[in-house]
Amino acid sequence: MKIGVLGSGVVGQVLGAGFLKHGHEAMLGTRDPKKKDVAAWLREIPGSSAGTFEEAARFGELLVLAVAGRAVEDVIELAGPANFEGKTLVDATNPLADEPPVDGVLKYTTGPNESLGEWIQSRIPAAHVVKAFNSVGNALMINPHFEQGVPTMFLCGDNAGAKAQVSAIVKQFGWEPYDCGKIVAARAIEPLCMLWCLPGFLHNEWHHAFKLLTR
């Protein structure tokens, strides 16, 4: 597939490289395609490309949103809401506040009965938003290895076809997908980022992932 990755930070770069590794085409969307870190990524990753947010959103048959939560609204506007219509949008964002953690616990801009994923879906209703890749650090997003087995990637969204599409990508990237239901479940999935980061902030332990154990 052609993948438009909206966001040129480390998460966007890692996911973009992951798509290319698995045979997809990927364009990194950014405010300034000529900035140094994007140019360095282009040199390092064979077959990569970059453009504006709008160019990447037009390019992608499937889109990935990988920006800071507080930048989401602006990025959607720059990408052009019409460019999301009918497309699967992997929402890897978290509603992080621009404040330091408290005793290892991150601060969010959302309350317990709302989520950024739901807001994104309401802002671009013609897109098929699937929350995923928000509950693990970027270093482990692509084909991680754990002796205990394949880790679980929790995801949710309103469109069954979009979730099936994202689940296939999750498997390509070395994860076990778990469908948590409708986009309202983003209220439960987004706080997993807080939990994932806790050992890191408290003990500088960052190599871990969640695993759902069943019979």
Side-chain angles (χ1 to χ4, degrees), residues 68-86:
R70 55 189 175 273
V72 164
E73 185 171 11
D74 191 29
V75 169
I76 290 173
E77 284 301 314
L78 290 170
N83 290 318
F84 293 87
E85 291 183 7

Side-chain angles (χ1 to χ4, degrees), residues 5-7 10-12 15 19 63-69 72 89-96 108 116-117 120 129-138 141 153-154 156 166 173 183 186 189-190 193:
V5 180
L6 306 178
V10 65
V11 172
L15 289 174
F19 283 110
L63 303 178
V64 179
L65 191 56
V67 296
V72 164
L89 173 64
V90 180
D91 169 26
T93 67
N94 284 302
L96 299 176
Y108 272 19
L116 185 55
I120 293 167
V129 178
V130 179
K131 174 68 74 173
F133 292 103
N134 72 297
S135 58
V136 70
N138 64 81
M141 287 181 172
M153 180 63 67
F154 298 97
C156 68
V166 176
F173 286 7
I183 194 63
I189 296 175
E190 288 178 359
C193 174

Side-chain angles (χ1 to χ4, degrees), residues 119-214:
W119 184 90
I120 293 167
Q121 183 63 87
S122 68
R123 176 65 185 82
I124 42 177
H128 306 309
V129 178
V130 179
K131 174 68 74 173
F133 292 103
N134 72 297
S135 58
V136 70
N138 64 81
L140 297 171
M141 287 181 172
I142 311 300
N143 302 104
H145 174 73
F146 293 96
E147 292 182 1
Q148 300 93 329
V150 178
T152 303
M153 180 63 67
F154 298 97
L155 58 91
C156 68
D158 291 341
N159 185 277
K163 287 191 289 185
Q165 198 174 29
V166 176
S167 293
I169 291 166
V170 166
K171 290 177 183 177
Q172 273 191 326
F173 286 7
W175 292 77
E176 173 188 70
Y178 186 83
D179 185 350
C180 295
K182 300 286 189 178
I183 194 63
V184 66
R187 300 179 189 182
I189 296 175
E190 288 178 359
L192 291 177
C193 174
M194 290 185 186
L195 184 58
W196 187 87
C197 288
L198 197 59
F201 289 131
L202 292 180
H203 308 297
N204 198 32
E205 296 174 358
W206 300 99
H207 192 90
H208 53 272
F210 297 114
K211 175 69 174 176
L212 182 67
L213 301 177
T214 60

